[in-house]
Structure formats: structure tokens, C-alpha cells
Amino acid sequence: MSTTERPRILVVGGGYVGLYAARRILKKMRYGEATVTVVDPRSYMTYQPFLPEAAAGSISPRHVVVPLRRVLPKAEVLTGRVSTIDQDRKVAVIQPLVGETYELPFDYLVIALGAVSRTFPIPGLAENGIGMKGIEEAIGLRNHVLEQLDKADSTTDEEIRRKALTFVFVGGGFAGAETIGEIEDMARDAAKYYPNVKREDMRFVLVDAADKILPEVGPKLGQWGLEHLQKRGVEVYLKTSMDSCIDGHVVLKNGLEVDSNTIVWTAGVKPNPALARFGLPLGPRGHVDTAPTLQVQGTDYIWAAGDNAQVPDLAVGEGAWCPPNAQHALRQAKVLGDNVISGMRGFPQQEYKHANKGAVAGLGLHKGVAMIVFGKMKIKLKGRLAWYMHRGYHGMAMPTFNRKIRVIADWTLGMFLKREVVSLGAIENPREEFYEAASPVSAAAAVKPAAPAEKAKAS
């Protein structure tokens, strides 16, 4: 890490807002005007709308992430966490991946920690649940589902088969509906290569406490999405929730009980709990309370945006807040970057105002829903055309030209080549085979006395 006497702009978080805000600041900043430092426990940004497609194998996992050091070559990128912030001294305490903590002074601060999965104290959830907030979880889910097909195809025990081929998804918003749609699509394709597994043997269950799914696209398209999933054999249970899932035994409030090795949790998000240690004004749900200029209330040197911020939605009216989605995060990041430069130079701040342009969701290959807003007119699409809109929008929104091309290349190859159905579950424990070969037990087994038959043969 370099030292400098120039003003430091500290960006806490390298997600969507952190990456785009830092790029905007670096673009607008004069040479040598300030130092931009980005701190995140990961050295890359994840484009979360593509996680379901990565889990289904439609996009290579590496193409869903953007390396921070490559995209921000003029910034300091520190791999670690900000544990606390002393606002009086303008000092952040950095916890690197290895080594001792240290203090880092700053002059301007950007809070872009994003959100984490919103969970509840449900017995068995921590031990058995699979989230969908990071690329690691998407890869793990893909490998896990294909491993369940391997297990079911290789055993005659009906109880093991039934548990392996039952997939439970909790949460019917974008993440839940898109993930179950993509995974069901992948499993249907993969079953063609398993002689003892058919789609009819699988059971997909979607659970949500609300009375509808995909609320972001409106009631009519949400209902179409619900009926579409049901036609594909997905069981959907609304107005209910999960009571427990100890040892994979799922119990729902409506009385349904199923055994499953796969429990995917996509029941919403909440602001990163680390915000509570920063001494910032928080809203009722833990978001950083900001003004329309994205400045944290009561400060003139701290800004926040994205999933961890409570930003007034001026396009809707008083009392409304911007929803936590990529559409707002991208635009907020640009305004935030401009305002940091303006604040540093003593210029007025710009208020954030953006009218909703609609929402798109993919439910598997060639299947989706989309609501596009043009002024007061709403265009509602479903099926293949909506799927094209989904891919077109997110393909354009994907950061960097490099990643756009790679994602489009994945899609193009998918038009001509069959989907890969290989499980790389061993990648989660890559040293296991070597450890077994090198361990003393293995060595002892290798020199154990030969059996009588082997001795006779040798003589």
C-alpha cells in the first residue's frame, strides 16, 4: 500500500456501487488530485443478476465477476474489511486477509457495502441452506444439484433417491424464481444423460410467505410466471414459510413435510450488519440514512448508495425509497461519484432522481417475463421475447466491455453446443485426494503384508 499526502477517498465495498463510483471518481478527477482506495474482502465484483445463469451453466462463472485491480488500475485496492470507522478522527480500521489490523486515514468516505442474505432463526437452516448472493454459492449449487443426480442414478435405495431428487427453494422474488427456473431447466437437460433418472422423478418446490411471486414485474406477469413454473412441474406454495429443515427434513407452516438434500434460501436481503459499527445514522431496517444527494444525513464528507442505503425516491414522491436493484445502483453510483468530486472542489451537490424503467426476469432458456416502462405506458412481455429483453438489458448493464463480450460469447456458443452437465464438486476440497495419498495411514496401507494368495503368486 502506498502512502500519500493527497486527500484520500475511501470506498468501503467493491460491489456494483463501489466499482462504478470509484470508476466515475477516477474518470472525473484531475491527475494527482486525490487517492482513491477501495476496500473489499473479495478482489472482484460480482454481477448478481447473472448468478442464476451461472448456476445453470449458461455463463462461465469467471465471466460473471469483474477483477477490481484490472478495472481500477489507478486506485489502491485493499483486500480486507473495514472493521470500524472513527468519524471524529477520520480514520478507518482495516482488517486485511492476513496480518494485524491497521488504521487508514481518509478525507472522504463512500459506503457501498451492499446487502447480505436475510435469514431467520430456523432450525437447520444454517447447516443445510444454500444462499445465492455470491458466485461461490452459484458454483456450489450447480455442482451440488448435479451430484444429487449422480447419487440418484447410482443407487437403488428409494429413500436416498427421493431425498436426492427433491429440491426446495425458499423465496419467490427475482432471485428465487429465476434460480429455480434455471436449475429446473438444467436438471431437465441433464436427466437425458442418466439412464435411471427422469424429470418425472424430480420434485421442485418453491415456497414464499407472500401471496404472489415476482412482485417486481406486477401482478399479471407474476401470475403468468407462477402458472408457467407450475406447468413445468414446479410445486408452488404461497402464504406459507419454512418452520425447520433439520437434517434435510423440511417442515412448512402449511403442514407439508419433505426430505431434501437441496434447500436454497433466496428469501430477500438485508443491509450489511457491519454498518452498525460505523456510527452512521441508520433507518428502521438498518440502511444508511441519506439525503437525496446521497450524502449521509448530518455529514458533508460521507456518501452512501445501493443496497445498504435508504435513498429517497424523488421520482415517486415523499416517503418513498429507491428499491435495492441494479437499475438504481448503477445510476446512483454515477451521481455519487460526481457528488464526491463536487464536494471535494466545493461545488453544489446533485440530487438523485430516476424513474423506474421496468424489470426483466429469466426463467430458464427462452423463458422469461418483462415489464418495460415508457413514460406512462407499460409494455408487458412474456416467453421468448421477454427472455431476449432480459438478456439484452443485463448484457448491456454488465460492467466492462471485456465482460460483455465474454458473456455474449457464452450465450452464442450455447446456441450451437449442448449444455455442460459435469459436476466439479471435488473442486471444493481440491487437496482431499492428495491428502489421502500422502497421509501416514495411506502409506501404511500401501506396505501392509501381502495376503497368502499374493505371497504364493510372488514366490
Side-chain angles (χ1 to χ4, degrees), residues 290-372:
T290 74
T293 59
L294 304 176
Q295 288 176 304
V296 175
Q297 295 286 4
T299 74
D300 60 0
Y301 65 96
I302 306 177
W303 293 260
D307 293 357
N308 67 182
Q310 180 178 276
V311 180
D313 194 342
L314 300 182
V316 175
E318 187 176 353
W321 311 103
C322 294
N325 57 35
Q327 182 181 156
H328 279 291
L330 170 60
R331 290 166 174 82
Q332 287 174 3
K334 293 180 178 178
V335 174
L336 187 153
D338 290 345
N339 281 349
V340 170
I341 295 294
S342 296
M344 188 166 54
R345 297 174 182 171
F347 297 150
Q349 297 282 293
Q350 173 188 352
E351 292 187 340
Y352 173 75
K353 184 177 181 180
H354 170 69
N356 179 35
K357 299 299 183 184
V360 292
L363 299 174
L365 285 175
H366 311 136
K367 300 171 277 285
V369 291
M371 180 187 66
I372 312 301

Side-chain angles (χ1 to χ4, degrees), residues 200-282:
E200 293 74 22
D201 300 328
M202 304 178 204
R203 186 179 186 183
F204 284 85
V205 178
L206 178 62
V207 181
D208 197 283
D211 59 354
K212 56 183 175 294
I213 68 169
L214 292 170
E216 299 90 345
V217 297
K220 289 186 178 181
L221 288 178
Q223 181 62 29
W224 184 89
L226 170 62
E227 294 172 357
H228 170 78
L229 290 175
Q230 289 174 328
K231 288 178 182 177
R232 289 164 59 180
V234 177
E235 302 174 34
V236 182
Y237 297 97
L238 302 178
K239 299 181 181 180
T240 191
S241 57
M242 187 170 67
D243 275 346
S244 67
C245 57
I246 298 174
D247 295 330
H249 183 68
V250 177
V251 180
L252 303 184
K253 280 193 181 297
N254 64 1
L256 179 70
E257 297 187 23
V258 297
D259 289 319
S260 173
N261 287 336
T262 309
I263 302 166
V264 183
W265 183 267
T266 58
V269 297
K270 64 180 180 180
N272 195 309
L275 296 172
R277 302 193 299 270
F278 292 175
L280 303 171
L282 303 180

Side-chain angles (χ1 to χ4, degrees), residues 7-29:
R8 173 176 274 112
I9 302 168
L10 177 60
V11 181
V12 184
Y16 211 93
V17 170
L19 171 66
Y20 267 102
R23 289 184 73 188
R24 187 77 169 188
I25 293 168
L26 290 167
K27 179 181 179 181
K28 298 282 186 175
M29 196 171 62

